[in-house]
Amino acid sequence: SSEDAAAAQRDLEFQAGWFADPLYFGDYPASMRQLVGDRLPVFTAEEQSKVKGSLDFYALNHYSSRYYANCGEGCQPVQSNGWFDDQQATVGNVNSDGEVIGPVAESVWLNVVPAGIHDVLVWISERYNYPVIYITENGVDAPGESQMSIHDALNDTFRVDFYRDYIDNVLEAVTTGGVDVRVYFAWSLLDNFEWSDGYNCRFGLHYVDYTATNLTRYPKKSALWYKEFIKANPNPNPNITYY
């Protein structure tokens, strides 16, 4: 519905516009001003002049996407914690028809939705007049990888598919949407410590043997695929540097 579409727009404004709008426009999004009220700080004229335009590029970390529905004033959002309540929206990975938005990775919060990165790049570009964008993080942890043998974990076709499909959508946004992506960083070169998940989730292109005294690294199938993809540049797009 149009109400649900507005809820999705509010979430983008609360999650991205909260930080980017002051840098591009000198103030927080109007939706935040309306819904957060006097709990949201007010910029002085001097602060606005210092903040507005004080960036060289838009840095985007992107992994997954969600469904949003309008909730209305006084509702109980699915994720209830302060700033999220102000959005007056419910969020989930299943739509009203019971369809899951995409395959789930090892991390329960990460559903694979390649079109999502295309759509958010277009949203950023249209809102902020097509700025230079650096994709500073994009990656996935393959289901069950930490429980696999090293031999099986190295055959990470799940991750290969993720990178292929997400990068294809980045290139689609660039070639048909006029999006100005200059840099793409895969997350991550190595398996590493992942916030509250610790070493249980592996996002690396290279497998790290945590039981070995020298933490031996092994290139996964995704590392080999990514290497060949980068070697093929500037064929896919000469303006993007891949890391």
Side-chain angles (χ1 to χ4, degrees):
S1 67
S2 59
E3 291 82 6
D4 294 337
Q9 173 70 15
R10 285 198 301 275
D11 179 73
L12 286 165
E13 292 172 355
F14 270 71
Q15 296 223 34
W18 185 6
F19 306 100
D21 270 30
L23 298 175
Y24 287 101
F25 306 136
D27 199 3
Y28 295 115
S31 61
M32 295 191 74
R33 285 276 174 223
Q34 176 185 354
L35 295 172
V36 180
D38 58 12
R39 290 183 290 116
L40 196 64
V42 176
F43 291 99
T44 65
E46 181 183 6
E47 288 169 340
Q48 283 187 321
S49 67
K50 289 181 177 179
V51 170
K52 187 177 179 180
S54 61
L55 76 167
D56 298 310
F57 57 88
Y58 188 110
L60 172 69
N61 292 357
H62 181 89
Y63 291 88
S64 189
S65 301
R66 285 290 180 268
Y67 291 120
Y68 281 83
N70 183 58
C71 191
E73 187 175 0
C75 72
Q76 292 297 317
V78 174
Q79 294 181 358
S80 181
N81 56 16
W83 72 275
F84 196 94
D85 295 353
D86 293 322
Q87 298 179 51
Q88 297 182 10
T90 57
V91 58
N93 60 0
V94 179
N95 67 12
S96 57
D97 295 324
E99 299 166 336
V100 179
I101 197 168
V104 66
E106 177 70 12
S107 296
V108 295
W109 53 267
L110 205 169
N111 289 82
V112 179
V113 191
I117 196 168
H118 169 279
D119 294 346
V120 77
L121 286 170
V122 171
W123 184 87
I124 291 166
S125 297
E126 291 179 347
R127 187 175 184 88
Y128 302 119
N129 194 27
Y130 296 88
V132 171
I133 299 174
Y134 287 11
I135 298 174
T136 39
E137 289 185 24
N138 179 230
V140 71
D141 49 350
E145 194 170 59
S146 291
Q147 290 74 49
M148 296 178 186
S149 66
I150 294 177
H151 176 271
D152 290 338
L154 297 184
N155 187 32
D156 61 336
T157 55
F158 187 90
R159 185 173 289 106
V160 171
D161 292 342
F162 177 95
Y163 277 117
R164 183 193 62 242
D165 295 343
Y166 269 72
I167 292 174
D168 280 351
N169 273 273
V170 171
L171 294 172
E172 177 71 15
V174 170
T175 55
T176 66
V179 175
D180 190 4
V181 175
R182 303 287 182 88
V183 175
Y184 175 93
F185 284 93
W187 185 267
S188 170
L189 173 67
L190 304 168
D191 294 331
N192 68 138
F193 190 88
E194 291 289 343
W195 296 86
S196 60
D197 290 320
Y199 295 106
N200 294 319
C201 296
R202 295 177 177 269
F203 278 80
L205 294 167
H206 291 76
Y207 185 96
V208 178
D209 185 355
Y210 298 131
T211 65
T213 55
N214 62 352
L215 298 177
T216 310
R217 282 82 157 167
Y218 302 91
K220 301 175 187 176
K221 188 172 185 176
S222 58
L224 303 177
W225 178 89
Y226 198 51
K227 176 183 176 181
E228 293 302 314
F229 174 82
I230 292 174
K231 283 173 61 178
N233 281 307
N235 214 17
N237 190 286
N239 299 319
I240 304 177
T241 303
Y242 297 90
Y243 295 96

